């Protein structure tokens, strides 16, 4: 999760038209099993493919799990992981990670990368991190977002190098204090999890490979 105030804005040489946000109804499952966070765009290499969105948060004393989706063309392949904290267990056959952090694990994990390899080529998911929060600090509410990707700049020229999106949200519509990065131009859905009771406001902005960001979308809201 990114801090809004920490982002760097580059000069806007060609400003995107804002994306169109649609806030859809969703359940309020706990975030331990239904939590997009870091990267959902597929990574492929020579017949190998791995994708998924690892949960970005975990709670002390609660189970954490993530199972990437992978496909292999031809030879069998195995998974490996780098940067996993000691509480996170890894299955080299399926690529799944799981575990239950303790109080001493609070804070952000090192950068984690899951790699799929068949011996001749490899492809990776990540890097991503997991923020371990105190027990009870993570809410069980969630909000499903979807949006329509922009196709043109404000001057009418086609967008080139669309790379991903930033989702901004807050309980104050005049100050978006939280942000999540969604990699991949083709990813146009996301579920924000770990929300406590209250009314939340959401907006989405697109960005390109040069870090140029669009104007924000319309604002959607949901009461948890």
């Amino acid at each position: 999760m990114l801090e809004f105030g920490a982002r760097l804005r580059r000069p806007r040489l060609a400003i995107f038209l804002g994306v169109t946000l649609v806030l859809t109804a969703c359940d309020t499952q706990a975030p331990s099993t239904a939590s997009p966070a870091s990267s959902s765009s597929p990574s492929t290499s020579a017949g190998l493919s791995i994708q998924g969105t690892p949960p970005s948060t975990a709670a002390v004393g609660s189970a954490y799990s993530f199972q990437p989706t992978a496909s292999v063309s031809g030879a069998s392949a195995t998974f490996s992981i780098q940067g996993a904290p000691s509480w996170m267990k890894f299955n080299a056959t399926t690529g799944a990670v799981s575990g239950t952090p303790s109080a001493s694990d609070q804070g952000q994990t090192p950068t984690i990368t899951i790699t799929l390899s068949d011996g001749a080529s490899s492809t990776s998911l990540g890097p991503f991190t997991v923020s371990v929060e105190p027990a009870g600090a993570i809410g069980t509410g969630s909000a499903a977002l979807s949006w329509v990707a922009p196709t043109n700049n404000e001057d009418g020229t086609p967008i080139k190098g669309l790379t991903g999106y930033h989702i901004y949200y807050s309980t104050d519509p005049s100050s978006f204090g939280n942000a999540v990065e969604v990699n991949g131009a083709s990813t146009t859905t996301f579920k924000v999890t770990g929300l406590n009771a209250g009314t939340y406001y959401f907006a989405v902005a697109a960005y390109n490979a040069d870090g140029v960001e669009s104007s924000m979308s319309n604002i959607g809201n949901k009461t948890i």
Side-chain angles (χ1 to χ4, degrees):
M1 184 172 293
L2 306 176
E3 291 295 330
F4 177 78
R7 292 189 314 103
L8 297 177
R9 290 183 178 271
R10 301 187 183 186
R12 295 185 174 186
L13 303 180
I15 303 174
F16 299 161
L17 290 171
V19 299
T20 301
L21 171 66
V22 179
L23 186 63
T24 57
C26 67
D27 57 26
T28 55
Q29 298 296 316
S32 58
T33 59
S35 329
S38 194
S39 174
S40 60
S41 55
S43 175
T44 60
S45 175
L48 301 176
S49 174
I50 183 172
Q51 59 184 305
T53 50
S56 62
T57 56
V60 170
S62 297
Y64 174 97
S65 65
F66 168 65
Q67 173 65 67
T69 301
S71 63
V72 181
S73 176
S76 61
T78 58
F79 295 87
S80 60
I81 193 169
Q82 291 182 316
S86 60
W87 61 265
M88 184 178 288
K89 308 306 178 184
F90 178 70
N91 188 317
T93 301
T94 66
V97 294
S98 61
T100 301
S102 64
S104 62
D105 297 314
Q106 289 185 54
Q108 185 166 284
T109 67
T111 298
I112 303 168
T113 302
I114 299 174
T115 299
L116 176 65
S117 175
D118 62 5
S121 59
S122 63
T123 187
S124 298
L125 175 69
F128 64 92
T129 59
V130 178
S131 177
V132 179
E133 305 291 345
I138 302 175
T140 59
S142 60
L145 310 178
S146 64
W147 56 90
V148 178
T151 57
N152 294 313
N153 297 308
E154 289 185 348
D155 61 4
T157 57
I159 292 174
K160 295 182 179 180
L162 183 61
T163 302
Y165 306 90
H166 291 134
I167 296 175
Y168 299 101
Y169 68 97
S170 174
T171 55
D172 180 358
S174 65
S175 177
F176 289 98
N178 301 290
V180 176
E181 184 169 0
V182 180
N183 295 317
S186 62
T187 303
T188 56
T189 60
F190 196 90
K191 181 184 281 187
V192 178
T193 61
L195 302 178
N196 292 302
T199 298
Y200 289 82
Y201 299 87
F202 303 87
V204 180
Y207 67 90
N208 67 12
D210 294 324
V212 178
E213 185 178 84
S214 76
S215 55
M216 282 192 182
S217 69
N218 56 297
I219 297 176
N221 67 82
K222 182 180 181 181
T223 299
I224 304 299

